[in-house]
Amino acid sequence: MFSSEQSCWFIRKVICWRAAASIAWAVLLLPPSTAIFVFLSKFSVLHPIQTISECFSMLTSATAIFSFILLCGVIIMVGFLNFEYYTVIPTIACSKIALFGQLLHPRQLVNSLVHCIMGMIVAWCSAVTIGFRYETLGHPCAQTDGYHQMCLNEYHLILLLGGAFVGFSHSLLGVIHNMNYVSFHTVQQYKYLRFKGCLPLVVRCSATQALYSVRNFIVVYYFLGHIPRTWICKTLNLHLGSSAHPLDSIAGLLDLSLLYHLWISATFLLFTWYIMLLLFRIFLTEGYSFPVQSSFTEDADHCLPKVLTEKQPMLLKFLALQDLALLSQHSPLRRCEVFSLSQPGGHPHNWNAISKECLSLLADLTQRLVAYHDTVATNGRAKSLSSGSERKTSSETSGTEDFMSPRPTAFMKTPASVFARSIAGGQQSPLTAPFTPDLDSPFMSPALRRLAAPVEQGSPWYGTVQSPHIMRRVPKLWSTSTDSQVNGSPPPSPASVPSDKQEPSKPSFLAQFLQNRREQVLKPCLKLPEASSQALFADSQAHIWALEGLSYLVQASFSEDQFGVVQTTLPSILSCMLVLQEAVDRHFKLPHASSKPVRSTSSMGDSTYKTLRFALRATLKTAIYRITTTFGDHLNAVQLSAEHQKRLQQFLEYKE
Amino acid sequence: MCSLALFPPPLPYGQTTVCESNNELLSGSSTEDQLKQDFSPPSLSFPRESLKLHSRTENSSKAAFLDHSETLWMRSAAAWRDGGLTGLLNEITNSHPHVPKWLSMSSGCILALLRWVSSFHGSLFPHLTLSSEDMIAEFSQVLNWSDCVVRAFAWHPHTDKFAVALLDDSIKIYNPKSATTPTLKHRLQRNVAVVQWKPLCASALAVGCQNCLLVWHVDPCSLSTRPSAGCAHVLSHPGHAPVTSIAWSPSGSLLLSASPMDTAMMVWDVAAESCVPLQRVGGGGVTFLSWSPDGSHVLASTPSALFRVWETRMWTCERWPCIKGRCQSGCWSPDGSRLLFTVQGETVIYALTFTNTPAVPSGTSKGPHAAVVVADLSETTFNTPDGDIVVGGEIQSLAWDPRGERLAVLLKGDPRAADRSPIIAVFKTRVRPIFELLPCGFVQGEPGAEPRLMQFHPNFRHGALLTVCWSSGRITHVPFYFLSASIPRLGPSGSPTLPHVQERPADFANQSLFTELIS
């Protein structure tokens, strides 16, 4: 399906280097943050000078250097986990049960365990660094008979357990807040400036998150603290110190200095991890400039038109689309290359490939929206789009690969690929062939039926999804949703599109079991209302760039396109955008679709995906306006269907 | 260099400027003398008496109720919610009998310390001590903002509708093609400093006000005269208030907002309601923003003698220290190559030239090294039949028409001297092949009315159309009819046609069409 050597090229030459650079910078930033931590943990108001001298002697001691090496190892491990788990398309759980399923996924369990251990390591390092009463796990204590034996140092233990707890809750919150989701900024900035701008946020987030985690940990320790304590005592043959009161009592926990040290070490732990995450995101989303065309054939795979059509890794496609949006906006020279003709032959290969890919992306989204709306309209409720496990029936599974970018080879494979087929088709409408016998079947989806009807090639509707108004008139002949899922068009879940390093939807047995049960019993109370709408637009950043790229290129073509290559595609671009506009408008009329999520500012989890649908709607409108404003009344000469003409006239009169 | 001495003298008392035609400013004795045009936007008037002003202030509402009998905890929580840390400390300090003495003492000490620190900060940047209303008045482009009936005005970039923000915190939208006049009111919409329509969109209107930024979605097809508050998105960021200036990117994708209290300039993604702060500490705030029409640069002035020019590709900035005062106003030529700006305390217009080098693929721009003075607007005495009239002085704001052929300059005048009222001076400009600035004339209104705010219509077909809001609450439109020398940028069908010459008064019809240069 995809050329493996090319993705290898990109992963090997770009992504790996970016990840390595981010890890290197995080390690370089470790000494200053450790120094600040040491200073804060040892600070005492009464003896400021003594604090400073203590800090210096601490930082140069052998244990400090050893723990520093340990911390470096932890940072590298965190960076590696980030690299392993990152995704540019968030996984959105549509119900609380699905979220629970995600949390219990084996891969996630491994992640949590590793974070737990790393949290404990960092906590050990901070315990050693703070020194004082936290330094060792055991301490010699004198019993009544004068016999010296080792007693348990509960202060050390509580710090270690606290670290493990914070690490564990970090990994849980990572799933809940989609912390592995890497979003792209709307504003391009240099890496240093972006890092500087985000640093206060990281400090604030780590401090507040540490506060909450420590609070939760104290509650847990108050009730369950005796279990690990007795277990440690038993295995390591330590005695409980009888002198001080145990720490899982109210009097023991109300120790301000203990709470402060717990909090400061949790803050330090989260701060180093967040810095790693921040650097990773910044490095990964940095713009990459692909050449539009190359004079050497061996570099042809690295060129923008080729790279755009790639599906793996997802990041490559996103970066290519981002580059397209930027070049169409800012660089006249590279636009010129896009509009150029091939050197023998005189074909606008670059423009054809780019526009075809963008249009197929948009048509795919339109189809997804229409199918979703259809499902909702039929059943009165939305079908969950969570993990795609329930509808992975044999015939459709192969189709999911094609959804993002269909190719002519996969053309007649599945119904799914029919929907996503590219617009600029020179093919002799072969899509009727595999489905003609089915046309009378009552299980035929209206969408499919409509597409299967012969579409005349010359009409501007050819190759686009037709107006949903027509769809609505078609009688719905089935009632249960499963039928429509099997026979009709499954709403392609963005979560089921395999992205790089993302587990291709194999939820654990428990999750599957629970998902099956959920329909009857738990659905009303556990459904997250907005989530299905969010899931539908989860990868819409790609569509936003495609819209921007196309509209800017069309705008520039008004004065820059010497050969008129854009004119030939203008009708299909316009009709594609108008159809999408109609589908988006209809989607926003559904309940919950237009409700805005609560903005959370103090979280490292990126919630950009929650508002992508609004951004898409605004971008789409702006894109159409950009074309109508540039071309003005000339658009009346463009061949479009009467309905689209009418719609376009609304835009020309600024009434949308 | 162009100076006011080259200008034709101001009109005699009682005459108002009607339009420019055949290279000459025509005057009439009253505003009803308007020429017949095929496009005439409504000339509006908002008498001060017609506005219902509310005299509520948010902070004083507490005193209107009976004395609090809540517990200390409740009051502290309420104070924390309303006034933050200072509010909490104030509450603790003021409730003597309920709190232990050491607590009230210590909170009083902390409060005094905070005030001392903030006063120290305020002595570095004196504008921080102003109240937010005074701050808007100080940094607004509107002359004498706090006393102004029309506080903000914005033409829609593509159509003939416009928005007017009034003294009573409402915004009215006028569209010559529709009978309905939507009135926008919102709980948070107080002390509107600036309004601007989103480009490449029919409905979105951004409003910068005292506490936040609002983005209204006014459906052009809706018949409702009072769109609900649900049509407005509130964009706010802690510490980013009052908003004194906003600027949409010409591509309509981003919105910039600036506050003199905040050293960061916000780049909003309005649909996602998210913002990216662009922080630069020097200057102590951002007061005025202007996005170049080609989208490549943004002018951001600060309350100190310093302004910045950002390039919008990677969002880096150039610092431009001024000698005398802060940058008061600025405007860009239509191709974004030239920036005109004025400095507070000086009576000249400076120009900066930016050359985009297309050879560099990253689109970086090579900035100029120094600003040049292009016009001198120092005080000049004109001998008129009514006596000597002194014109000139500091500049409040600049406006350049979208074709780059007329430049309007709002001169502050001197409020203490009766014969030096504010006036608008208009220059003829040419950007290509070389930058030229020629005098055109003064725009004057009815007797006693002072210009407060001006804006050019973004796509007037017959030349340029200057909209002026007067202190009397009147909004008038002064057309400048001319044939554009350059190809119009907006749309291919926008070739300007002369209005019907035969409908003009006969005595002007025999004037030559030739452009005579005075300098």
Side-chain angles (χ1 to χ4, degrees), chain A residues 57-278:
Chain A
S57 62
M58 176 66 226
L59 285 173
T60 46
S61 68
T63 47
I65 288 168
F66 176 65
S67 58
F68 183 75
I69 291 167
L70 270 184
L71 283 176
C72 288
V74 168
I75 285 296
I76 291 167
M77 190 64 202
V78 169
F80 182 73
L81 283 179
N82 282 340
F83 179 61
E84 193 63 23
Y85 279 77
Y86 86 95
T87 169
V88 288
I89 302 173
T91 323
I92 295 165
C94 286
S95 65
K96 290 184 180 167
I97 295 294
L99 190 63
F100 204 61
Q102 279 181 20
L103 290 180
L104 293 179
H105 194 282
R107 201 173 141 84
Q108 178 54 35
L109 289 180
V110 170
N111 189 5
S112 300
L113 188 69
V114 174
H115 273 103
C116 233
I117 294 167
M118 289 192 307
M120 207 179 269
I121 293 172
V122 176
W124 183 83
C125 293
S126 45
V128 169
T129 327
I130 297 170
F132 179 44
R133 58 185 179 187
Y134 303 99
E135 200 155 2
T136 52
L137 188 59
H139 64 98
C141 56
Q143 291 297 95
T144 43
D145 53 356
Y147 173 65
H148 281 269
Q149 59 183 0
M150 292 301 277
C151 286
L152 176 74
N153 182 5
E154 203 175 349
Y155 290 104
H156 186 81
L157 180 69
I158 198 171
L159 221 55
L160 288 191
L161 289 177
F165 185 86
V166 172
F168 180 70
S169 61
H170 170 79
S171 107
L172 285 194
L173 285 174
V175 174
I176 292 167
H177 292 159
N178 263 321
M179 230 177 261
N180 61 342
Y181 165 54
V182 176
S183 77
F184 289 81
H185 270 236
T186 44
V187 172
Q188 294 286 306
Q189 270 181 289
Y190 288 109
K191 291 192 288 277
Y192 165 68
L193 293 173
R194 179 169 292 177
F195 177 75
K196 205 177 78 178
C198 290
L199 203 56
L201 177 78
V202 170
V203 173
R204 206 171 57 230
C205 282
S206 46
T208 47
Q209 191 51 53
L211 205 61
Y212 288 125
S213 298
V214 166
R215 179 197 65 187
N216 297 344
F217 170 68
I218 284 173
V219 172
V220 170
Y221 192 80
Y222 177 70
F223 287 110
L224 303 173
H226 60 277
I227 301 173
R229 195 176 52 203
T230 40
W231 182 73
I232 290 272
C233 286
K234 213 173 277 175
T235 40
L236 294 183
N237 198 16
L238 292 171
H239 293 269
L240 279 175
S242 53
S243 55
H245 35 236
L247 283 180
D248 59 344
S249 63
I250 292 192
L253 283 175
L254 274 182
D255 181 350
L256 272 186
S257 130
L258 173 69
L259 294 184
Y260 173 71
H261 283 127
L262 267 177
W263 174 72
I264 195 91
S265 54
T267 307
F268 173 65
L269 181 155
L270 287 177
F271 179 75
T272 51
W273 292 4
Y274 285 164
I275 283 285
M276 179 69 240
L277 184 64
L278 175 72

Side-chain angles (χ1 to χ4, degrees), chain B residues 38 85 97 105 152 271 276 494:
Chain B
D38 49 354
L85 183 64
M105 281 284 285
V276 179

Side-chain angles (χ1 to χ4, degrees), chain A residues 185-190 193 196-197 326-327 329-334 548 552 555 558 596-597 599 608 611-612 614-618 621-623 625-626 629-634 650 653-656, chain B residues 156 158-159 161 198-203 219-221 233-236 251-254 267-274 276-280 311-316 358-359 361 363 490-493:
Chain A
H185 270 236
T186 44
V187 172
Q188 294 286 306
Q189 270 181 289
Y190 288 109
L193 293 173
K196 205 177 78 178
L326 289 177
L327 87 87
Q329 215 171 334
H330 293 295
S331 32
L333 277 181
R334 296 176 69 201
E548 281 187 350
Y552 277 115
Q555 184 186 33
F558 190 76
K596 290 251 175 187
R599 263 201 302 158
T608 318
T611 48
L612 271 179
F614 302 103
L616 179 90
R617 182 172 62 165
K621 224 170 225 182
T622 308
Y625 269 122
R626 190 168 292 135
T629 314
T630 314
F631 283 79
D633 293 333
H634 295 296
Q650 294 272 311
E653 289 167 7
Y654 291 95
K655 286 193 171 155
E656 270 301 316
Chain B
H156 189 274
H158 308 290
T159 62
K161 66 180 170 187
K198 177 179 175 178
L200 297 178
C201 182
S203 59
D219 187 358
C221 300
H233 288 158
V234 180
L235 305 176
S236 64
S251 63
S253 50
L254 299 172
V267 186
W268 293 92
D269 184 354
V270 173
E273 293 189 14
S274 63
V276 179
L278 297 175
Q279 186 110 31
R280 293 291 186 279
E311 60 84 24
T312 58
R313 206 181 130 76
M314 293 308 276
W315 291 98
T316 53
L490 291 167
S493 54

